[in-house]
Amino acid sequence: MTYKLGPFYATTATMQHPVFIHRNDELAHPTIIMALMTSDLKEASDYQWMATQISSKVNNLVYGTDGEVALEKGFETVFPSKASTAKASIHLRCFTHLKEDMLEALKSVK
């Protein structure tokens, strides 16, 4: 289903995510709810608004981004992944974008 939330269109889906495993069965992957979203403006404040709407229902979140800086900044403001508490959120990056970022960073290192 697709929902219009402010400047966003969010489409929900579910999948068994291979990054996560069940505690008692390493071959079993839990089913997770996913939301794929788009924004008309791609501004950090828009994504922060979206994250704030989600935070009214959940305390912490596992979320993934594809390297869109505004998306990361907006969500990190509401769901910090570097918090020193057990309530810290988990931010996953798209492997392709993470690899590109790492290779770019390595160019500046001798």
Side-chain angles (χ1 to χ4, degrees):
M1 294 196 273
T2 300
Y3 304 93
K4 181 158 177 46
L5 303 168
F8 298 91
Y9 291 94
T11 302
T12 58
T14 61
M15 67 173 277
Q16 287 189 319
H17 201 296
V19 170
F20 305 108
I21 58 172
H22 284 287
R23 185 179 317 175
N24 299 324
D25 184 355
E26 292 183 4
L27 299 177
H29 304 290
T31 300
I32 63 169
I33 298 171
M34 299 175 27
L36 310 170
M37 65 183 186
T38 60
S39 167
D40 294 337
L41 304 174
K42 288 188 176 181
E43 304 236 350
S45 59
D46 291 334
Y47 294 114
Q48 185 175 350
W49 178 87
M50 177 73 161
T52 301
Q53 302 309 302
I54 295 169
S55 72
S56 68
K57 304 289 184 213
V58 298
N59 293 326
N60 59 350
L61 185 70
V62 175
Y63 63 98
T65 62
D66 66 352
E68 177 65 44
V69 175
L71 174 61
E72 292 178 14
K73 286 182 180 178
F75 265 72
E76 188 71 25
T77 301
V78 179
F79 294 105
S81 58
K82 296 181 178 102
S84 59
T85 69
K87 292 268 185 183
S89 294
I90 298 172
H91 177 195
L92 303 173
R93 288 285 310 274
C94 164
F95 181 76
T96 302
H97 288 93
L98 181 61
K99 179 182 171 185
E100 289 170 2
D101 291 348
M102 291 171 70
L103 290 172
E104 190 63 33
L106 285 172
K107 289 179 183 178
S108 65
V109 180
K110 294 182 180 176

